[in-house]
Amino acid sequence: LSNAAGRLVSRHDPLRNFDQNLRLITNADFGNTRGVDIRLDRRFGNFFNGTLAYTYQNSKSTGSDPDTYFNFGSRVLNAVSGGNQPPPQAILQTDFNRPHNLALAGALNFPNDWKKGTALGSVFQNVGLFATFRYTSGTPYTPCAQDAGDENVVSGDNCNRSFPEPLNSSRLPSFKNLDLRLTKGFTLRGLDITGYLEARNALNFKNIIQVFTTTNDVTNERERAQNFAADSADFATEAARSGAYGSDGSIDLSFNGATDPRTGCGAWLRQDGTPAAPNCVALIRTEERYGNGDHIFSLDEQRAASNALYDEVRGIHNFSGTPRRFRLGVELNF
């Protein structure tokens, strides 16, 4: 009870003689996290020990953090009163609620005198193999309406238009990860040396860490189309100002077949009519990279350039966890 929570509080302003809504941090949230933890530790002989742990938790509250109401409910108009939506009085899933959590850890270590004097012993002496595995439920998020205006909203952000479903009523896919570490210890001229090879996310699990809230997926073609429409309009306005815009939507950057088309950039203008030779040179380089290099920047080439930037910001790497990585190293102990 009495967790920190942001609220819109009405207070009388004596200077202006009317009430104003103020954003204040209050002690008004309530909720709880309940669950059970189970852990099993087991050792087999002198070489192997392992741990298996499972947690079930159910985390609910009237807010996931003190800013929840500021970022969500206070921006929604109440259909009855016409004012801001009042603070929640029912507990819902928090942003960080993961009902199922499974973790495994194991270590296999061979001592420095294991099978001493044998070929097998010389290979496995001072060798260690360590593994950790984690599985968790995905975190909740709030879906947004398919209406225009919410195409750019991703899970964890606030819907711009409306909330067609309750807060945190959808959930991301589960998270899985396996890390491995292999070590080998040896001595060299009095130095204790340990070489190691690490594999992070060894099985290369594809973990989705956020989605578009209108599509519940890692792609949103409507947003991509809107992005190109905006880029294309910018291209067209500058090209029209500079007298290089064609009836088919292409931009003529050849300047009547000049050997070096950059020589014609001196007359290039921005949308507001000010000189912009660097913009012209940038467009020429863009056409050469994403087109056929004939210095006619066609609509297809404009789309390819626009999509390249879009994929940098909205590509799958922004919606998924870190892929498989390897690291090779050496530790020196004096």
Side-chain angles (χ1 to χ4, degrees), residues 56-334:
Y56 173 80
Q57 71 165 13
N58 188 17
S59 176
K60 291 186 175 183
S61 180
T62 49
S64 300
D65 58 64
D67 289 332
T68 295
Y69 177 62
F70 286 159
N71 295 335
F72 286 86
S74 66
R75 302 187 180 193
V76 179
L77 293 180
N78 186 279
V80 177
S81 66
N84 297 95
Q85 182 74 17
Q89 295 302 309
I91 55 176
L92 300 171
Q93 293 187 90
T94 59
D95 295 344
F96 46 83
N97 182 38
R98 295 182 185 269
H100 302 286
N101 301 266
L102 177 67
L104 296 91
L108 179 65
N109 291 283
F110 294 94
N112 57 7
D113 59 351
W114 188 74
K115 293 189 179 297
K116 193 172 183 179
T118 66
L120 191 63
S122 62
V123 173
F124 285 99
Q125 287 173 4
N126 290 322
V127 167
L129 177 62
F130 308 89
T132 59
F133 174 78
R134 181 183 176 216
Y135 169 89
T136 67
S137 302
T139 52
Y141 69 94
T142 305
C144 296
Q146 295 285 341
D147 303 336
D150 282 330
E151 292 83 4
N152 65 334
V153 180
V154 296
S155 51
D157 291 342
N158 182 44
C159 299
N160 297 318
R161 299 294 180 180
S162 62
F163 296 87
E165 300 180 31
L167 296 181
N168 287 337
S169 57
S170 292
R171 187 176 293 276
L172 294 174
S174 59
F175 178 92
K176 301 175 289 294
N177 190 72
L178 173 66
D179 294 335
L180 299 174
R181 179 181 173 96
L182 177 66
T183 64
K184 170 66 175 177
F186 54 93
T187 58
L188 179 65
R189 295 185 179 182
L191 294 176
D192 291 328
I193 301 176
T194 301
Y196 63 86
L197 172 65
E198 284 187 353
R200 303 290 180 92
N201 191 10
L203 297 181
N204 203 28
F205 290 118
K206 182 180 178 180
N207 293 307
I208 303 302
I209 57 176
Q210 66 177 4
V211 296
F212 287 100
T213 56
T214 58
T215 64
N216 299 316
D217 200 353
V218 296
T219 60
N220 190 328
E221 292 305 317
R222 180 183 288 184
E223 187 199 42
R224 181 186 291 272
Q226 290 176 344
N227 182 77
F228 172 64
D231 287 346
S232 180
D234 289 341
F235 292 150
T237 304
E238 270 202 15
R241 274 276 190 177
S242 306
Y245 191 66
S247 59
D248 59 352
S250 63
I251 302 174
D252 187 355
L253 300 169
S254 64
F255 300 107
N256 298 319
T259 304
D260 185 353
R262 292 175 298 178
T263 58
C265 286
W268 195 266
L269 301 175
R270 292 190 181 90
Q271 297 180 24
D272 60 4
T274 57
N279 289 12
C280 173
V281 175
L283 285 175
I284 291 172
R285 294 291 182 244
T286 301
E287 192 279 330
E288 292 173 345
R289 170 169 293 189
Y290 297 103
N292 57 12
D294 65 354
H295 301 137
I296 303 298
F297 200 15
S298 68
L299 277 176
D300 288 340
E301 294 169 345
Q302 295 173 36
R303 185 182 297 275
S306 177
N307 284 342
L309 179 58
Y310 179 83
D311 289 335
E312 173 66 22
V313 179
R314 292 299 213 184
I316 184 61
H317 57 284
N318 294 291
F319 292 83
S320 59
T322 305
R324 179 167 48 211
R325 294 171 296 162
F326 291 98
R327 186 170 69 162
L328 183 65
V330 174
E331 294 179 359
L332 299 179
N333 297 294
F334 298 93

Side-chain angles (χ1 to χ4, degrees), residues 36-68:
V36 59
D37 292 321
I38 301 174
R39 172 170 167 161
L40 173 66
D41 296 317
R42 176 68 176 173
R43 184 177 183 89
F44 296 94
N46 296 321
F47 303 132
F48 179 82
N49 62 80
T51 297
L52 170 64
Y54 171 76
T55 297
Y56 173 80
Q57 71 165 13
N58 188 17
S59 176
K60 291 186 175 183
S61 180
T62 49
S64 300
D65 58 64
D67 289 332
T68 295

